[in-house]
Each structure stands twice: as structure tokens, then as C-alpha cells.
Amino acid sequence: MKRFGDVIRLPVVAADTAERVGKVTGVVLAPAPARVEFVHMHTARGDELVAWAEVRAIGPDAVMINHGAGPFADASVSGRQSGPIGKSLLTDRGRRLGEVRDVTFDEEDGRLVSLTTAADVLDGARLLGVGDFAVVITDQAIREADESGSGSASG
């Protein structure tokens, strides 16, 4: 499992040319199933998104992608540039749980494992969506955390 905090600012390297393409600046999440859909990177051309399917490996020193030439989506016009970090975490019933501090994902398949706030670590499978101002999860995530004792219901 990888924490986004361990991946941010890593260089993005093309497997086909071994050249540095850019630097990781974020991730874009998608629900149903909850997963990393794109890696947001800053390149010489600007802010771009590389599809998760193009990510070959994530190591301690770099993110390796299949092709350095792209094509990549322009993050400023794609409508998908919104990442989860720093946004309010809300349940689908409107309960604020804090601010998303980090996300954990499976580096093999991009599956979202967890969302972390200052007080809780919540199941990433409960992701419903990421908007401009908030990340929304099912309220069930709070009930399950309370039952298992792995999180608090404070918010």
C-alpha cells in the first residue's frame, strides 16, 4: 500500500525513454469502485493527468509510466483536476468528519484503501465522490468504524 504523502513530488519517468516527464502533484479519485483514476503531474507543458492504466510502477524514488510522449489530459480543462487532499470529508448525511490529510491506495491496481483525517482512518471503498470543496463518503463508514473500534465518530 502507498500513502499519497509518500508519492507527492516524486519524479514521473517514462519507461520507453527513461526520461523524466514531470513531477507528481496530486491524484484524482473515482468512486464505484473507489480508485485512483489519474495521477496529476506538473510537466514542462503545464499541469497534466496521466491515466492510472499508464502507470507501470510506483517505487520509493519515482513513478514509472509507460509512455513519456502521452497523450496526457490537460488538467486545467479536463474537469478532473480536483484531488482529495485538504478538502472537507463529509458523509452522505452531511456530517463533517474533518479534513482529508492523506489517502492510501494499492499501488498495483489503484484501489483506494483509506482516507485519513486528523482523528480517523476511514475505509476508502465508501467513497462517493470528490468535488471542488469536499470529499463525500457513505455514512456507513462511520458506523463500521465505531463497531470495530478502529475509529471515532467525532467530527
Side-chain angles (χ1 to χ4, degrees):
M1 302 300 144
K2 285 283 186 188
R3 289 181 333 104
F4 173 67
D6 295 335
V7 177
I8 185 82
R9 293 185 280 287
L10 283 180
V12 178
V13 177
D16 58 345
T17 63
E19 292 181 83
R20 182 179 170 157
V21 177
K23 176 177 69 172
V24 175
T25 57
V27 292
V28 177
L29 302 179
R35 68 197 182 285
V36 176
E37 185 175 29
F38 295 98
V39 172
H40 191 271
M41 63 181 178
H42 184 74
T43 70
R45 296 178 296 264
D47 289 329
E48 297 183 278
L49 300 173
V50 61
W52 180 260
E54 287 297 311
V55 175
R56 182 177 283 186
I58 300 176
D61 300 323
V63 173
M64 183 77 66
I65 61 174
N66 290 324
H67 308 286
F72 305 118
D74 182 341
S76 64
V77 297
S78 72
R80 294 184 180 247
Q81 68 272 24
S82 190
I85 307 301
K87 294 185 178 167
S88 288
L89 182 63
L90 304 174
T91 70
D92 56 351
R93 294 187 178 186
R95 185 172 176 190
R96 186 176 189 283
L97 303 175
E99 182 178 285
V100 177
R101 297 241 175 130
D102 209 346
V103 298
T104 303
F105 60 93
D106 185 317
E107 66 268 24
E108 296 297 320
D109 62 11
R111 179 179 48 88
L112 183 63
V113 175
S114 65
L115 298 154
T116 304
T117 67
D120 290 307
V121 177
L122 300 160
D123 184 0
R126 301 296 184 199
L127 179 72
L128 293 175
V130 180
D132 289 337
F133 302 103
V135 175
V136 180
I137 62 172
T138 61
D139 199 59
Q140 183 178 357
I142 301 308
R143 287 192 298 274
E144 287 181 359
D146 288 344
E147 291 168 7
S148 70
S150 63
S152 71
S154 63

